[in-house]
Amino acid sequence: MPRPERGETMVRLDGVTKIYTKGGVELVVLDRLDLDVKAGSFVALMGPSGSGKSTILNLVGGLDIPDEGSVTVGGVDVDALSPDELSAWRAANVAYVFQAFNLIPVLTAEENVELPLLLTPLSRAQRREQARFALEIVGLADRMDHRPKQLSGGQEQRVAIARALAMDPEVMLCDEPTGDLDRASADQVLGLLRRLVDEHGKTILMVTHDPQAGEVADRIVKLDKGTVLVEGAEA
Amino acid sequence: MSLGFLAWRHAWSHPVRSLLTVGAVSVAVFLVCFLRSIVTSLDAAVTASASNRIVVGSAVSLFQSLPIAYRTTVGEMEGVEDVCSYTWFGGRYQSESNFFAQFGTDPEHMMRMWPEVVMPAEQKRDFVDDRQGCIVGRTLADQFGWKIGDTVPLIGTIYRRHDGAEWTFNIRGIYRSTKANVDEVTLFFHWDYLNEVLERGDADGPRGTSVLMVKIAPGYTPEDVSLRIDDHYAAGPQRTRTQPEAAFQASFISMLGNLPVFLGSIGAAVLVALFFGVVNTMTMAARERTRSMGILGALGFGREAPLRLYLLEAALLVGLGAAIGLLLAWGSQDTFRRLLGTQIPMYHVTTDTMVASGVVALVIAFLAGGIPAFQAARLRAAEALRRGA
Ligand SMILES: Nc1ncnc2c1ncn2[C@@H]1O[C@H](COP(=O)(O)OP(=O)(O)OP(=O)(O)O)[C@@H](O)[C@H]1O
Ligand SMILES: [Mg+2]
């Protein structure tokens, strides 16, 4: 995908509606939602529980499809891709960081970071090299042989970010990445994400409840009941 | 690192559970091999039988003797190359539990007609020369530690000596068999010697011979010769029933009743139990990995990734278990041949059995890995992540 210049639109949601039906009851999670995220920007999605924040990330990453409207990422109409195309596209363009249980528990930190690189044509040696480099960036080169259980929550989250980074994605989708962390670890993770935007030109869409997390973002989008309530730049 | 490596790590993430599964698979595969081998070992005697030999017995029952004069008459019939008598002795060696078969026979004829019975030439000669001599199978000799020159005392149960003493036979030869229709746990002695003692009035017992084995002369068919013999005796004094050697062997096996069917159903039950066991393990394992599968999906792995992972994991556990089971089955052949001794003297595990058991195990692995994989493939990544959280 041709990389949009910093400031051009990277992610666009156009009149997106998402409805879940449970027990015969229709639940409108997103109601004709519009959202525009510029390349190389850091956007925080905030809002009460159940307002559809995770749903938005799933739509952007192609893990879910909208009932109405369209989702484009880097000019690609995500919901028009077949399941196989979608897998390949996702591997090449987006990376997820979740709140918790981000890592495969039976693999070491290094192996977890190397895992998505199996989808690339890189050689074994190149994969290891790249995984180590990514762990270096997040400051965990000395922990690469540890299993997730042997890491702190903050370290786990940094490994997850390293894994996202290793794929060199355009867009990073972070769902409450600091939700389980203490203040110091949370600040470390937020600082790291900020650096990825500033130094590596990534586009980050981050769901958060943390008011301080909002402060590192370029822009905060507040959601309520499936619509954008407030959209504005944060000082 | 590779997906195979991840499957390996998954397989050993619960070592105890995995080892139990491997153990269950190996026991099951071993059992299936063992049961099938019992059947194939019994069958082997039938399939190895020579097609140019026929067995003449009483038309009334196998336990009814034929007059010994038949030996001469049959021997002179057209199409008969050679004839040899076999008389069931039914003696007991030391104790009831030491059962093995003993036959009175005509040594020279027997060794001519049975090329599958192999012995050094001088032992053959010694056997023929000693009227009270006998030959024993290699396995039997091993079992009781017999050597050439030893004397075997047998207590007659059918043929009782009036002096209450034991019958004694001198071991003149130890034979081995090249085909499954002759076992290596039988004792053969001179029919003439048995007859001599009976004639002297020193013992009681049925006269005549249990059966006659006939070798067909070249250019004649077993069917024609059988018909000729049975026709000849149709009017008596003792009607005969002549059948191919293979059918005769098979009639011993059919005396075991539905043993093959019985063993087959046990084997099938073992496999069904194994199948549910492995499915259970894999389903449990898969439930723990819902989240991991969601992560794989979010990383951009396709839907075939969980399928490959679960199939590999099941194949690993089942493959290891099956390998151990097959090794056990193969390695324990001698032990079982000894243990089953005279009941199933030719016990052996065929390559067919090993391959079949291995294939069945792999099919089970495929299904057992396939079921959770199928469930995982239907679960979309977003849903997997939600559930696993
Ligand atoms: N697969 C699904 N089936 C039914 N309902 C769903 C499904 N996925 C999400 N929902 C519902 O949609 C709504 C929005 O869910 P979503 O996960 O996007 O909320 P959220 O804003 O991320 O909340 P939180 O802050 O608690 O994570 C919730 O009410 C949720 O129950
Ligand atoms: Mg959420």
Side-chain angles (χ1 to χ4, degrees), chain A residues 18-22 27-30 46-58 64 99 175-176 207-209 223, chain B residues 380 382-383 386:
Chain A
K18 181 74 198 173
I19 301 169
Y20 287 115
T21 320
K22 213 167 206 173
L27 177 68
V28 181
V29 179
L30 298 178
M46 300 182 81
S49 182
S51 57
K53 304 180 299 291
S54 297
T55 304
I56 290 177
L57 294 196
N58 285 344
D64 216 336
Q99 176 174 358
D175 200 341
E176 300 183 47
V207 170
T208 185
H209 288 293
L223 282 174
Chain B
R380 306 212 340 282
E383 191 64 20
R386 183 183 304 277

Side-chain angles (χ1 to χ4, degrees), chain A residues 58 63-64 87 90-91 96 98 100-108 111 114-116 118-119 124 127 147 163, chain B residues 1-3 5-6 9-10 13 291-292 295-304 380-382 385-386 388-389:
Chain A
N58 285 344
L63 289 177
D64 216 336
S87 290
R90 188 183 303 134
Y96 277 94
F98 308 100
F101 312 114
N102 251 320
L103 305 176
I104 308 277
V106 297
L107 298 178
T108 64
E111 288 158 357
E114 196 191 328
L115 185 63
L118 290 173
L119 296 164
R124 197 188 188 82
R127 290 199 306 257
R147 299 267 184 112
R163 183 182 60 194
Chain B
M1 240 268 299
S2 62
L3 276 193
F5 178 78
L6 179 54
R9 279 280 173 81
H10 274 159
S13 61
R291 176 85 192 177
S292 291
I295 293 172
L296 287 179
L299 290 177
F301 284 90
R303 280 157 180 252
E304 80 291 345
R380 306 212 340 282
L385 288 168
R386 183 183 304 277

Side-chain angles (χ1 to χ4, degrees), chain A residues 16-198:
Chain A
V16 166
T17 298
K18 181 74 198 173
I19 301 169
Y20 287 115
T21 320
K22 213 167 206 173
V25 184
E26 282 200 348
L27 177 68
V28 181
V29 179
L30 298 178
D31 187 12
R32 280 162 298 176
L33 182 103
D34 296 323
L35 184 66
D36 193 282
V37 178
K38 304 276 179 249
S41 72
F42 191 162
V43 173
L45 277 176
M46 300 182 81
S49 182
S51 57
K53 304 180 299 291
S54 297
T55 304
I56 290 177
L57 294 196
N58 285 344
L59 291 171
V60 173
L63 289 177
D64 216 336
I65 45 167
D67 293 303
E68 258 170 62
S70 70
V71 179
T72 44
V73 179
V76 174
D77 195 349
V78 175
D79 43 294
L81 299 173
S82 74
D84 282 347
E85 289 171 333
L86 200 55
S87 290
W89 171 84
R90 188 183 303 134
N93 297 291
V94 298
Y96 277 94
V97 178
F98 308 100
Q99 176 174 358
F101 312 114
N102 251 320
L103 305 176
I104 308 277
V106 297
L107 298 178
T108 64
E110 188 198 12
E111 288 158 357
N112 263 289
V113 176
E114 196 191 328
L115 185 63
L117 297 174
L118 290 173
L119 296 164
T120 66
L122 295 179
S123 74
R124 197 188 188 82
Q126 288 171 319
R127 290 199 306 257
R128 291 185 76 129
E129 180 66 27
Q130 198 151 324
R132 285 176 191 197
F133 181 62
L135 281 168
E136 192 88 48
I137 293 180
V138 301
L140 284 175
D142 55 334
R143 295 298 162 91
M144 63 183 189
D145 291 329
H146 289 223
R147 299 267 184 112
K149 259 193 206 149
Q150 300 163 322
L151 297 170
S152 74
Q155 289 169 334
E156 263 193 75
Q157 208 53 300
R158 279 148 67 199
V159 173
I161 292 170
R163 183 182 60 194
L165 211 53
M167 289 298 276
D168 198 21
E170 296 299 336
V171 181
M172 290 178 63
L173 304 171
C174 309
D175 200 341
E176 300 183 47
T178 59
D180 277 2
L181 304 181
D182 62 33
R183 194 66 260 158
S185 305
D187 287 343
Q188 203 174 11
V189 165
L190 290 172
L192 179 59
L193 292 175
R194 184 70 245 177
R195 245 174 65 213
L196 296 180
V197 173
D198 292 342

Side-chain angles (χ1 to χ4, degrees), chain B residues 40-323:
Chain B
T40 56
S41 302
L42 290 171
D43 276 349
V46 176
T47 40
S49 298
S51 56
N52 64 347
R53 289 191 302 238
I54 56 179
V55 179
V56 187
S58 162
V60 181
S61 108
L62 202 59
F63 305 102
Q64 184 82 43
S65 296
L66 294 175
I68 196 63
Y70 281 28
R71 184 174 58 183
T72 321
T73 324
V74 169
E76 286 165 355
M77 284 184 187
E78 191 187 347
V80 173
E81 183 182 302
D82 211 339
V83 62
C84 173
S85 73
Y86 285 93
T87 301
W88 178 258
F89 184 71
R92 208 167 70 209
Y93 177 65
Q94 290 171 343
S95 79
E96 203 78 66
S97 58
N98 284 339
F99 171 86
F100 60 89
Q102 309 108 28
F103 287 99
T105 185
D106 313 313
E108 277 168 290
H109 293 267
M110 174 196 164
M111 284 179 292
R112 267 209 306 274
M113 283 176 61
W114 292 84
E116 47 270 73
V117 175
V118 179
M119 256 185 315
E122 72 270 17
Q123 293 185 13
K124 286 187 181 184
R125 206 184 46 234
D126 292 348
F127 177 36
V128 172
D129 290 347
D130 180 2
R131 284 174 75 74
Q132 212 173 324
C134 72
I135 57 171
V136 294
R138 175 166 64 165
T139 311
L140 194 62
D142 282 351
Q143 187 179 337
F144 294 118
W146 290 335
K147 300 176 302 296
I148 305 268
D150 283 357
T151 298
V152 181
L154 293 178
I155 300 158
T157 57
I158 301 173
Y159 299 93
R160 294 179 187 280
R161 297 182 74 112
H162 293 153
D163 57 6
E166 292 159 331
W167 296 76
T168 52
F169 300 101
N170 311 316
I171 297 178
R172 293 299 169 209
I174 293 174
Y175 72 86
R176 72 193 166 75
S177 162
T178 57
K179 282 171 85 181
N181 56 330
V182 179
D183 61 47
E184 294 179 342
V185 289
T186 302
L187 181 152
F188 296 98
F189 62 92
H190 290 248
W191 178 87
D192 284 346
Y193 171 66
L194 171 65
N195 190 50
E196 195 181 288
V197 177
L198 290 172
E199 289 287 323
R200 273 208 307 267
D202 288 347
D204 278 333
R207 299 304 186 88
T209 176
S210 304
V211 294
L212 292 172
M213 182 78 70
V214 170
K215 188 177 177 196
I216 311 292
Y220 291 87
T221 67
E223 294 76 25
D224 291 346
V225 179
S226 299
L227 218 61
R228 186 169 300 135
I229 295 170
D230 289 348
D231 278 354
H232 183 88
Y233 293 113
Q238 169 85 261
R239 287 197 304 116
T240 58
R241 175 157 177 264
T242 304
Q243 49 189 339
E245 184 191 329
F248 182 69
Q249 293 270 15
S251 69
F252 276 105
I253 295 169
S254 68
M255 275 163 42
L256 299 170
N258 271 335
L259 188 71
V261 176
F262 178 62
L263 295 183
S265 2
I266 296 178
V270 167
L271 289 177
V272 170
L274 174 68
F275 173 70
F276 285 121
V278 179
V279 168
N280 187 40
T281 305
M282 285 310 299
T283 312
M284 249 158 77
R287 195 169 307 141
E288 288 160 11
R289 289 175 203 144
T290 308
R291 176 85 192 177
S292 291
M293 295 306 138
I295 293 172
L296 287 179
L299 290 177
F301 284 90
R303 280 157 180 252
E304 80 291 345
L307 181 72
R308 275 168 57 194
L309 278 172
Y310 289 138
L311 286 184
L312 275 170
E313 186 176 346
L316 241 156
L317 295 177
V318 175
L320 187 60

